[in-house]
Amino acid sequence: MRGSSSCSCRPSAPRDLLGRTEGRTHWSCAAARRLWWRGLCTMKPALEPDLETHLLRAALRSVFTLGTEKDTINIQALHKVMPELLDAMLGNLLAESPDGDRFHSILEHVNLWIVSRVSQERARAIRSSMALLRLAVTLPEFDISAEFPRMGHHVAQLALFVSDPDKDISRQAREGTYRLYQLLLQQRGLTIHEAEDLWCHDWHQDSRLLGYENTARVGEVFGKFFSKGQRKYFLQTAMLAIQDPLLCVSQAGLLLTYSILGEAQQLMGDKLEDVTAKVMCQLRIIRHLHQVPEALKGLRLI
């Protein structure tokens, strides 16, 4: 049972809040404040599931879209505070019920923003996803025993940005993917020290070539531990990404698709130029000639 709130300042009752703010421009900010208070103070009574979901979506929107249309001094100041508040809120929501269902529900809502066409929104979603995953693997009472087929989808989503040109996005995507690897190994009764390394660590290589190799590693390594359902979701997400308008995402989608099928070496090479040429050649076959490469025969790409 959830404990009583230690907060003396309580926001309005949920239904009152909905009545006053529904349809108004400040709805998302008000909802965010309401859920932050609940997340940070662990208030009673518990919210109804539908209402909690509605408030969570609004809170995520208010943070992820902050300042993407108009930057002011006040907005810039909020940039420093809001992500930390959001992380604390998500962490407390998970701590209230540290099980796989609650974890995956929160992760689903966060990761919807990873496919945003706005770079700032994508970056913030990747950061929040990474922070939630970092907490999950360190939460002593967290129960990840239940099988979760859509873990394959979340692995692929984050892995699409492992080779992102933005170093911060790449670093956070790598950590988020690594944390999912830890959780998957826990499900299989293994520790991170008993399994092979997820990443290549040849720092003398060109960073872009290393990005290609690490992206391919995701499919190769996770594929050894995925269930049939997880593999299916991973492959679906990777294949859809091949058609993404962002070139770096499209390239990553191709690498992930080839790697989960055990065909990544067809795209690899010792030189960046060679790998890029091979990847772009296959993308041209799929996206412009609408043909299926030999390695992908039997799969539907569209």
Side-chain angles (χ1 to χ4, degrees):
M1 183 175 293
R2 298 171 184 170
S4 302
S5 170
S6 59
C7 249
S8 58
C9 299
R10 293 189 178 220
S12 305
R15 296 191 185 281
D16 291 341
L17 176 68
L18 284 169
R20 288 202 313 271
T21 58
E22 192 73 56
R24 299 183 186 180
T25 57
H26 66 279
W27 155 241
S28 61
C29 290
R33 286 196 298 270
R34 174 68 180 86
L35 194 55
W36 287 333
W37 273 107
R38 177 174 178 268
L40 292 171
C41 300
T42 317
M43 294 185 303
K44 293 178 65 178
L47 296 179
E48 297 174 4
D50 288 346
L51 179 57
E52 179 177 282
T53 295
H54 194 62
L55 292 171
L56 176 58
R57 288 173 179 169
L60 292 172
R61 174 180 291 276
S62 73
V63 175
F64 292 158
T65 63
L66 181 66
T68 55
E69 295 180 358
K70 182 180 179 181
D71 272 323
T72 66
I73 294 176
N74 289 335
I75 292 295
Q76 291 171 7
L78 284 175
H79 285 172
K80 301 177 180 179
V81 177
M82 297 282 265
E84 285 79 6
L85 283 174
L86 180 62
D87 291 346
M89 180 201 76
L90 297 177
N92 279 298
L93 287 175
L94 178 60
E96 284 182 3
S97 181
D99 56 53
D101 288 341
R102 169 57 69 91
F103 166 70
H104 295 309
S105 174
I106 298 172
L107 193 63
E108 288 278 356
H109 290 300
V110 173
N111 284 2
L112 284 174
W113 289 87
I114 290 179
V115 296
S116 171
R117 292 287 173 259
V118 181
S119 60
Q120 290 183 21
E121 294 172 4
R122 286 197 307 275
R124 290 167 184 167
I126 290 171
R127 179 196 177 282
S128 289
S129 181
M130 177 271 293
L132 181 65
L133 289 163
R134 180 190 290 170
L135 172 68
V137 299
T138 58
L139 204 60
E141 62 271 29
F142 182 58
D143 179 14
I144 193 65
S145 58
E147 191 67 36
F148 180 56
R150 280 185 62 79
M151 178 183 281
H153 165 71
H154 295 304
V155 172
Q157 267 200 322
L158 284 172
L160 290 172
F161 298 93
V162 162
S163 57
D164 194 274
D166 186 301
K167 292 183 178 180
D168 284 338
I169 290 178
S170 174
R171 175 181 55 80
Q172 290 165 0
R174 287 198 309 274
E175 180 174 349
T177 306
Y178 180 78
R179 300 302 181 183
L180 283 167
Y181 186 42
Q182 286 183 280
L183 291 175
L184 182 61
L185 290 175
Q186 287 179 25
Q187 283 190 327
R188 303 297 180 256
L190 299 171
T191 68
I192 199 69
H193 304 293
E194 297 172 305
E196 64 181 298
D197 287 341
L198 179 59
W199 306 124
C200 302
H201 298 289
D202 187 354
W203 307 119
H204 298 292
Q205 276 189 347
D206 182 286
S207 60
R208 291 171 295 175
L209 181 59
L210 190 61
Y212 281 141
E213 293 185 354
N214 278 329
T215 300
R217 286 282 297 168
V218 174
E220 293 172 344
V221 175
F222 274 89
K224 298 174 183 178
F225 300 98
F226 273 157
S227 66
K228 183 177 179 179
Q230 289 167 341
R231 177 187 171 90
K232 175 183 175 181
Y233 275 108
F234 181 96
L235 185 56
Q236 287 178 344
T237 302
M239 289 167 60
L240 285 174
I242 293 174
Q243 302 291 348
D244 196 279
L246 286 175
L247 180 59
C248 65
V249 173
S250 180
Q251 291 175 328
L254 184 75
L255 283 164
L256 292 174
T257 300
Y258 269 68
S259 66
I260 195 68
L261 296 174
E263 301 289 347
Q265 287 307 310
Q266 292 193 30
L267 302 176
M268 292 294 100
D270 295 328
K271 296 181 180 180
L272 174 65
E273 296 78 8
D274 293 340
V275 178
T276 302
K278 291 177 183 178
V279 170
M280 293 306 297
C281 177
Q282 297 306 305
L283 287 179
R284 180 175 178 274
I285 291 173
I286 296 170
R287 297 182 54 161
H288 300 292
L289 300 181
H290 303 291
Q291 298 175 2
V292 180
E294 190 64 32
L296 306 184
K297 293 291 186 181
L299 296 176
R300 291 193 61 182
L301 298 177
I302 300 175

